[in-house]
Amino acid sequence: MLTVAPAGAAGKPSRSNGSSNRVIFVHGFAPFGSHDCTKTFKDARKHFTNKKWKGNLLTFGYYSKNKNCSYNVTGSRETSIKDVAKKFANYVSKNYTAKGIKVDVVAHSMGGLVVRAALHHTHKRTAGFPKKLYIEDVVTLGTPHAGITKSRVAFCGNTRQCKDLKPGSGFLKSLPGKMPSTTKNGNMSTDWTTISSYNDHTVSEDSGVAGTARHEVQYKAGINHGQLITKTSGKHTARIKHSGKWSKFSKRVSPVEQARLAVYYYSKT
């Protein structure tokens, strides 16, 4: 006799290397209150496609005035990053985790904090967050894990999100130093890669890799904040840290290619 599993009983998927996962791209802070998701991630999505990525390449937005996002929630620069994280976590839970589907995430700038907070509060069982998430790999590019630079603090202003992005903010202090990854409560362990650049004047090279991630990458020069999500080709001077030890600076692939490799592989990039 055939049996039918009850709704919501989809099992946890296993970890694996490959290009079949859906990848969700998450944008950063918008100084003018909106993004065009298609334009923001045009180069990165084209690169993944050209490299024969099989899974859907999606975009998640969190400003009401955004355009052309695969999924967009309401909000503004006055919406706290924690609240955005809650919306992101519930989006992933409802559309993918509840169906037994795992996803990868590539996040630029503040978007990385959205994902970091989403996983942290889900693991913590914070009210309003889902019970579990199946996020296999996360890559953050130019994310201010320890806050934005002093010059950008003045430029950013006094919106709620700007306050959250300031070094030493209550929001940043609420996040643990280690990037969230656990199998507790049915969650999928998440493999993290953080990427920064010495030429990023919005997020310092140290802030971009602040907190302990399994893989950390720093580009020496020639790549600014925006180029971390648009530079798809060439060889660039960079170093990588695995298991707490930095490699020597050498010629490495572009930041977007580094991100693609990071969501393709589990144990290495």
Side-chain angles (χ1 to χ4, degrees):
M1 295 181 64
L2 296 175
T3 58
V4 179
K12 181 168 69 174
S14 60
R15 296 196 58 91
S16 62
N17 294 339
S19 61
S20 297
N21 282 3
R22 292 166 175 82
V23 179
I24 303 172
F25 292 87
V26 185
H27 65 68
F29 177 76
F32 301 104
S34 68
H35 279 286
D36 183 322
C37 289
T38 296
K39 291 182 179 180
T40 299
F41 294 110
K42 176 183 177 181
D43 296 317
R45 294 168 80 190
K46 181 178 180 181
H47 179 75
F48 273 58
T49 298
N50 288 343
K51 290 289 185 175
K52 310 301 182 184
W53 195 269
K54 298 176 183 177
N56 291 339
L57 302 173
L58 310 170
T59 55
F60 175 86
Y62 45 85
Y63 293 122
S64 298
K65 296 180 180 180
N66 276 350
K67 298 179 181 179
N68 301 317
C69 301
S70 303
Y71 191 89
N72 197 67
V73 296
T74 58
S76 70
R77 291 167 293 175
E78 294 296 343
T79 306
S80 71
I81 299 177
K82 181 180 177 181
D83 284 344
V84 178
K86 186 186 300 182
K87 294 177 180 180
F88 175 77
N90 283 299
Y91 154 71
V92 173
S93 174
K94 178 181 178 180
N95 291 281
Y96 304 111
T97 303
K99 301 174 183 178
I101 299 170
K102 60 184 178 179
V103 299
D104 295 329
V105 180
V106 175
H108 182 236
S109 197
M110 192 182 84
L113 292 175
V114 170
V115 182
R116 182 180 172 189
L119 281 164
H120 166 63
H121 286 288
T122 295
H123 297 167
K124 192 179 176 182
R125 292 290 180 91
T126 301
F129 285 79
K131 293 183 178 180
K132 60 185 177 182
L133 288 173
Y134 296 158
I135 298 180
E136 186 170 33
D137 301 293
V138 174
V139 180
T140 68
L141 299 117
T143 290
H145 290 293
I148 55 179
T149 60
K150 291 182 179 180
S151 62
R152 288 297 173 179
V153 168
F155 173 79
C156 195
N158 291 313
T159 65
R160 177 58 188 273
Q161 289 178 358
C162 287
K163 292 176 181 177
D164 286 345
L165 292 170
K166 291 180 180 179
S169 70
F171 166 74
L172 290 175
K173 287 181 178 179
S174 73
L175 300 175
K178 188 175 181 179
M179 296 302 162
S181 175
T182 185
T183 56
K184 185 178 179 181
N185 298 324
N187 286 279
M188 169 175 272
S189 63
T190 302
D191 191 38
W192 283 80
T193 301
T194 55
I195 300 175
S196 71
S197 172
Y198 280 73
N199 261 33
D200 185 339
H201 301 297
T202 298
V203 178
S204 72
E205 65 276 8
D206 292 329
S207 180
V209 296
T212 304
R214 184 164 184 153
H215 322 284
E216 300 173 10
V217 182
Q218 288 183 319
Y219 285 85
K220 185 65 174 177
I223 296 175
N224 63 33
H225 188 66
Q227 289 173 323
L228 283 166
I229 198 61
T230 62
K231 186 70 72 173
T232 62
S233 63
K235 294 292 184 178
H236 309 270
T237 303
R239 63 179 182 172
I240 190 166
K241 180 194 286 186
H242 290 302
S243 303
K245 185 177 180 180
W246 284 108
S247 70
K248 294 181 179 179
F249 280 103
S250 62
K251 293 297 182 180
R252 298 186 62 85
V253 297
S254 69
V256 175
E257 173 63 0
Q258 188 75 62
R260 187 191 69 85
L261 292 172
V263 296
Y264 183 97
Y265 292 109
Y266 165 55
S267 61
K268 59 184 180 179
T269 58

